Amino acid sequence: MRLNELEIYLNQLLNTARFHDYCPNGLQVEGRNEVRCLVSGVTASLELLEAAVAVNADVILVHHGYFWRGEDPCLIGMKRRRIAFLVKHNMGLLSYHLPLDAHPEFGNNIQLAHRLGFVETGRFGEQNIAMLGTLQSGALNLKALQVTIERTLGRKPLVIGNEAKPVQRMAWCTGAAQSYFEEAIQLGVDAFVTGEISERTVHTARESGVAFISAGHHATERYGVQALGEHISQKFGIAHQFIDIDSPV
């Protein structure tokens, strides 16, 4: 299919117009018109771009692209190298941030829920991106939930809370969403899962009695872009490959 047709389809599917985001969603760097091979990944690092060229990708689909609010707009240093590489290889870059977090089928939050056995019952937070729910398996203690997350994501989470605490009511939001923690506490959850944690949040968890699970920014956001890439592949007959460039954060 043509690149502009793919962008139009994705913009409509993810309803990008309803979101106020920190970066442009959609086509960020134009490449060749005809798309036969799509590579997906979490972040448009130079390593991902190089890996995409190695498999003859026409376009890359990511969650973390370029041109973030507040960053230096000049094409120098790392930014120049990345964009120059895309232009040199005539390879396009599609990026979807908050729209991909929130999508009810292909979003990061719902895809993480499927893997961890969370059942969505509601939404909260900025633009209704964060999710509320319960454990499909019924109540577990915090230690058992930690083990499930570690086995599923292949990364040991940082857990603040009593290991023996029963957990049934959950809130979660992938990536860097600890700012939603206090709202989740007010909603009466037993535990909150996101990607990152700061020092102040440790004390909030201890004093509130609500467990905080920092499961990794990259680790929690691998699944939405994969699901979206597979959907595109099946719907339009485009080859798709997810390339995971590991990150310890």
Side-chain angles (χ1 to χ4, degrees):
M1 68 185 307
R2 297 183 69 81
L3 180 60
N4 68 318
E5 295 171 341
L6 177 58
E7 183 194 16
I8 290 169
Y9 174 78
L10 287 173
N11 289 349
Q12 292 175 345
L13 176 68
L14 299 175
N15 196 12
T16 57
R18 92 162 179 88
F19 291 92
H20 302 287
D21 212 334
Y22 324 114
C23 59
N25 288 291
L27 186 64
Q28 292 191 340
V29 179
E30 188 176 5
R32 60 185 69 96
N33 289 329
E34 194 70 21
V35 177
R36 296 183 177 88
C37 179
L38 167 74
V39 158
S40 63
V42 177
T43 298
S45 64
L46 184 59
E47 188 175 357
L48 177 64
L49 307 189
E50 292 171 340
V53 166
V55 297
N56 298 313
D58 300 301
V59 65
I60 304 173
L61 173 68
V62 296
H63 181 49
H64 300 139
Y66 306 149
F67 313 113
W68 297 90
R69 182 191 303 163
E71 74 174 22
D72 186 346
C74 297
L75 293 180
I76 58 176
M78 179 180 70
K79 182 185 289 187
R80 179 194 178 278
R81 289 191 294 273
R82 289 173 170 182
I83 293 175
F85 187 90
L86 285 165
V87 172
K88 175 183 177 181
H89 294 280
N90 199 20
M91 188 165 54
L93 178 68
L94 288 158
S95 176
Y96 294 93
H97 187 232
L98 296 184
L100 185 59
D101 286 322
H103 194 269
E105 184 177 359
F106 305 115
N108 284 319
N109 285 322
I110 195 64
Q111 288 293 321
L112 182 68
H114 292 334
R115 286 163 175 80
L116 296 181
F118 300 165
V119 179
E120 180 191 358
T121 59
R123 298 278 185 115
F124 71 103
E126 179 188 9
Q127 302 176 77
N128 279 329
I129 290 171
M131 289 186 172
L132 292 168
T134 60
L135 293 177
Q136 189 173 26
S137 62
L140 297 173
N141 63 36
L142 184 59
K143 178 63 177 179
L145 179 58
Q146 175 182 339
V147 169
T148 296
I149 292 172
E150 182 173 355
R151 287 176 177 169
T152 303
L153 302 187
R155 179 188 189 278
K156 186 173 182 177
L158 175 60
V159 178
I160 308 299
N162 182 348
E163 290 185 345
K165 173 186 172 72
V167 175
Q168 172 63 41
R169 295 165 300 174
M170 298 294 305
W172 66 96
C173 190
T174 64
Q178 65 175 316
S179 61
Y180 301 152
F181 185 37
E182 292 191 15
E183 186 176 350
I185 293 169
Q186 295 301 316
L187 291 168
V189 302
D190 301 312
F192 179 74
V193 177
T194 188
E196 300 181 14
I197 187 171
S198 66
E199 194 271 346
R200 63 179 175 82
T201 303
V202 172
H203 301 289
T204 303
R206 288 172 177 170
E207 293 177 33
S208 68
V210 176
F212 188 99
I213 303 173
S214 173
H217 193 137
H218 178 88
T220 58
E221 295 198 322
R222 288 182 300 210
Y223 305 112
V225 74
Q226 288 185 64
L228 186 58
E230 281 303 304
H231 168 72
I232 294 166
S233 177
Q234 292 170 18
K235 185 173 181 65
F236 298 109
I238 296 170
H240 167 245
Q241 182 176 343
F242 173 72
I243 297 178
D244 191 17
I245 305 299
D246 183 53
S247 171
V249 176

